[in-house]
Amino acid sequence: MSVSNQSRAVDLRVTGTVQGVSYRAACAEQARTLGLVGYVENLDDGAVHVVAEGTPDAVESLVDWCHDGPDAASVDDVEVRDVAPEGHDDFTVRR
């Protein structure tokens, strides 16, 4: 029973008030709860970048969560691109 053919990976760019509001930590916690792997990081332009991979349902759940984020965040937009899975081992918080 292979999971690879049932895997989805996305690259997200989240804009709004998403830095300095614990967005990365909350996103990582949500992703780990959903069993996803990948990473989240701040971008120099004030956006947050998320790469996540796992089951299609779990990925979609994280994408939905990213539209709201943690309570202190104010999300304006989430750009979603489907990408090839990179085979991450876990979900990490970068810079």
Side-chain angles (χ1 to χ4, degrees), residues 9-92:
V10 292
D11 184 294
L12 309 176
R13 185 174 189 280
V14 185
T15 55
T17 304
V18 292
Q19 289 190 15
V21 293
S22 299
Y23 194 99
R24 289 177 301 156
C27 181
E29 181 180 339
Q30 185 69 19
R32 291 178 192 129
T33 298
L34 292 166
L36 299 174
V37 295
Y39 61 90
V40 58
E41 65 186 346
N42 283 338
L43 297 177
D44 291 338
D45 65 0
V48 168
H49 178 224
V50 182
V51 172
E53 56 188 78
T55 66
D57 286 348
V59 168
E60 194 58 39
S61 291
L62 184 66
V63 170
D64 289 346
W65 180 90
C66 284
H67 282 87
D68 294 321
D71 290 341
S74 176
V75 177
D76 292 337
D77 189 38
V78 178
E79 297 173 21
V80 182
R81 287 188 313 122
D82 280 284
V83 295
E86 297 176 22
H88 296 278
D89 293 327
D90 55 11
F91 200 94
T92 60

